Amino acid sequence: MKDVLKDFKDGKITIEECENLIKANNILEFDEIAKFDENRSSRTGFPEAVFAPSKDYEDLVLIIQNYFKDKKPTDDVENLIITKLSNKRYEKLVGDVGYLKDEGFVFDYNKRAEILVIKTSFNKESKPLGKIGIITAGTSDINIAEEAKVIIEESGCEVITSYDVGVAGIHRLFPQIANMLEQGVSVLIVCAGMEGALPSVVAGLVDIPVIAVPTSVGYGVGEGGVVALNAMLQSCAPGIAVVNIDNGFGAAVFAITIIKSKV
């Protein structure tokens, strides 16, 4: 960083180049197992999250320990988000990094969403940036919807949810959409498995962006969510963006990006 600042002082680079180089160099290296992008939030609008399933448990512990090393709960640092973290792994983590609780950090684990957020007590903006609605076709899709909900709330947006309003009982859907629009949601996230029809129906009823999330709920030809994904990609209703199967996190970040672009 000193070299970058010296080059700026000497007129070798512009202030924009200086800013970009500082941001790019703000990486935490964790014993060669991870390079944590600590400044991603300032570049992209949302901090880096840790994807748990593909990591060895010991590496996961090390990442958490190193992230909070020399930090205090009152410091102005991003909360640490760990996604797709099974309850079994979470309970084990509490035993190995639970000392952070004693130091004042808060462990907020959503069992259904399988997300752990280790929070600081630093006061952040309390006024909601905007409102986002989340709809699921069935109760089996709720875990993915909850993943999106946690991420959205972490960003400072308000979430309005309505679950189990799929096309099998489509009469349930209309009053829920009307309620969300009356409350001023700017984006809708729609999670559906099986044939994945719900996002197309919703997009044909509203004038706001719809983010479709195919879920891995299904059996037979629909097993694994591929049929739902293809149906959403093939939708004849305009205004739909589609994320990957079970990607509640990606849907949430996209919705947040839309909200922030309007602020």
Side-chain angles (χ1 to χ4, degrees):
M1 186 179 293
K2 287 182 180 179
D3 291 338
V4 173
L5 293 173
K6 186 176 185 302
D7 285 344
F8 172 65
K9 181 181 178 182
D10 294 342
K12 295 179 180 178
I13 58 175
T14 66
I15 189 169
E16 290 80 11
E17 291 172 328
C18 177
E19 180 184 17
N20 289 335
L21 286 168
I22 289 174
K23 288 179 178 179
N25 289 328
N26 198 1
I27 303 294
L28 301 178
E29 294 202 32
F30 297 156
D31 296 348
E32 295 302 318
I33 64 163
K35 292 177 175 59
F36 196 88
D37 188 357
E38 194 176 34
N39 215 25
R40 184 175 296 183
S41 180
S42 64
R43 292 197 322 275
T44 68
F46 197 81
E48 181 173 9
V50 177
F51 182 66
S54 58
K55 293 178 175 59
D56 289 341
Y57 175 77
E58 292 74 17
D59 291 344
L60 193 58
V61 171
L62 194 59
I63 288 170
I64 296 171
Q65 289 174 335
N66 278 276
Y67 182 80
F68 288 103
K69 185 178 180 180
D70 300 324
K71 291 184 175 71
K72 299 176 182 178
T74 53
D75 289 343
D76 181 11
V77 296
E78 298 284 357
N79 297 335
L80 182 63
I81 302 170
I82 303 171
T83 65
K84 308 293 187 186
L85 179 68
S86 68
N87 186 59
K88 183 178 179 180
R89 269 190 155 189
Y90 166 68
E91 291 178 348
K92 191 174 181 182
L93 275 176
V94 170
D96 289 330
V97 295
Y99 64 88
L100 291 170
K101 288 185 176 182
D102 298 330
E103 294 178 6
F105 293 97
V106 176
F107 282 41
D108 187 358
Y109 180 67
N110 185 312
K111 184 176 180 179
R112 187 166 234 171
E114 294 191 324
I115 290 183
L116 170 63
V117 183
I118 304 179
K119 299 184 175 185
T120 71
S121 58
F122 181 80
N123 291 325
K124 297 182 179 179
E125 185 179 3
S126 57
K127 184 180 179 180
L129 296 174
K131 295 182 181 181
I132 297 171
I134 303 178
I135 296 171
T136 73
T139 55
S140 298
D141 306 310
I142 292 176
N143 59 325
I144 303 304
E146 285 288 299
E147 179 180 73
K149 181 173 183 261
V150 170
I151 298 303
I152 291 167
E153 290 178 337
E154 186 65 20
S155 76
C157 291
E158 183 180 342
V159 181
I160 302 171
T161 61
S162 182
Y163 298 154
D164 193 27
V165 291
V167 296
I170 202 167
H171 60 286
R172 301 170 298 184
L173 174 65
F174 306 125
Q176 301 302 322
I177 290 180
N179 175 58
M180 289 185 178
L181 295 177
E182 285 175 5
Q183 294 195 53
V185 299
S186 300
V187 186
L188 285 171
I189 294 174
V190 185
C191 305
M194 301 297 283
E195 83 279 32
L198 186 60
S200 293
V201 174
V202 172
L205 297 171
V206 301
D207 62 352
I208 58 177
V210 174
I211 303 171
V213 186
T215 69
S216 53
V217 175
Y219 56 89
V221 296
E223 186 174 1
V226 176
V227 166
L229 171 62
N230 287 334
M232 294 172 189
L233 290 170
Q234 188 62 46
S235 174
C236 63
I240 295 179
V242 185
V243 298
N244 204 358
I245 299 167
D246 291 341
N247 191 10
F249 175 86
V253 174
F254 185 35
I256 293 162
T257 302
I258 293 172
I259 294 290
K260 288 187 174 180
S261 71
K262 297 181 178 183
V263 176

